[in-house]
Amino acid sequence: MFRRIPPVLSVRPTRALVDEMFKVVVENLPPASPVTLHSLHFSEDKDYWEAYGHYMSDHRGTVNVAEDMSFGGTYTGKEPMGLLWSVRPEPGSRTGLRLRKREVTSPMPVHISVYSGHMTEGFRKQPPLASVLTERWYMAPGVQRVELKGKGVRGTLFIPPGPGPFPGLLDMWGGGGGLLEYRSALLASHGYVSLALEYFSPGELKSADLQIQYFESAFNLIKDHPQVIPDRVGIFGLSLGTILAIYLAAESTKIKPHCCVCISGHHLIAIGSTVHGTLRTDPDKTRYDENNYRIWRDTILPIPTDPSEKLDVRKIKCPMLLVIGDDDQNTPTVEAAEDMAKMMQSGGNLHLLSTLTYPNTGHLIEPPYSPHFRATNFIIPDTKEKAIVLWGGQTKPHSDAQEDAWRKILAFLQHHLYSSTIPRARM
């Protein structure tokens, strides 16, 4: 079917940060030939993840993924990065998987291959026409990774290359627990000293673990670092991390964040010396979808009218960016954002609030080109029971949201943490 001259597959760049685009081009194909472009990643959890698109070569025998249409596969249409954002577990894999990078000092290897014809399965059983190994990195060259030991704070600090000083970020993930470093590594790659904070172990969420002083200490550790601009430290949170960010911005009298990025969270907790133990939830409102996946968004609805059951966001004095999906099945982020806006309007600080709401987007809004996880395995903190939790979202709009949100998050951080009086370090 093909000429004797073998097809040539190029991926540029082959080594890049995870939020950078690449260009995939196949040449030396016969004109008007059906081919399949395929990506394959073998995860740290020993699972295969793949994506593929069906293409037709043009009159020159070329396929350009950035410009040509995919007619089928895990994505369709003109999608330059579809080979990454549409990856999913290989057929026959375990259920409820989630792809996350644990070891950020090494890359995510992704094999990009081209096959003859329009294939839908069995890729690893058939030799490709051509293949290229690419590396996707969370850490840019020169970023330092520093494990915190004996400082009263558990986590990892990431420092950009160069002399600094740099703005700082306290980076907090959600209720799954454990230490996740990849977002902090990526933020450091964009010029921020970022602390990936661990504040409880998976499945062991207890109110005693969430003393507010712990987070204030973590914030001050960043602020006092010699390579950090002391008055340019922000907070970045997702899910439970967002609740903590709002808590610190509204209630802490000991720290003053310069700005906050809050993804998929809310303000619906009572004020106290601890955080999680004062969440107002109704377990009887837990729902299940047709797959028996748990839906938790209703457990804290309706939005309380009693001010004592909410953080007083009227006291927030720093710019805050809310990023939410309108199909979040874990948290009522849309309703919470509307209530926060009303409260801040009454408090005269609504001008500090910016909200990005994305249609058909779920709870887990990650850096761009990350896979969409509609439902994944989760350990219930109180009972340590394993369940599959529904996060929500549809793959294409959720992926579009991740790309747009990340661009706007970086612009928000650039605007508020860098200024004309602070020259940004060259990366």
Side-chain angles (χ1 to χ4, degrees), residues 318-330:
C318 69
M320 179 167 290
L321 177 63
L322 296 183
V323 182
I324 58 179
D326 74 358
D327 189 42
D328 190 330
Q329 298 299 310
N330 184 257

Side-chain angles (χ1 to χ4, degrees), residues 5-10 12 25-29 61 63 114 129-130 132:
I5 302 175
V8 176
L9 171 64
S10 64
R12 295 189 178 93
V25 177
V26 189
E27 299 173 291
N28 291 354
L29 295 166
V63 171
V114 58
L129 299 172
V132 172

Side-chain angles (χ1 to χ4, degrees), residues 44 100-108 138 145 181:
E44 293 170 336
R100 308 179 93 172
K101 193 78 174 76
R102 299 284 181 178
E103 179 50 71
V104 296
T105 59
S106 63
M108 293 183 67
Y138 284 95
R145 177 183 177 273
E181 300 180 351

Side-chain angles (χ1 to χ4, degrees), residues 245-257:
I246 296 172
Y247 193 109
L248 291 167
E251 304 297 342
S252 176
T253 59
K254 297 181 179 179
I255 65 170
K256 294 181 179 180

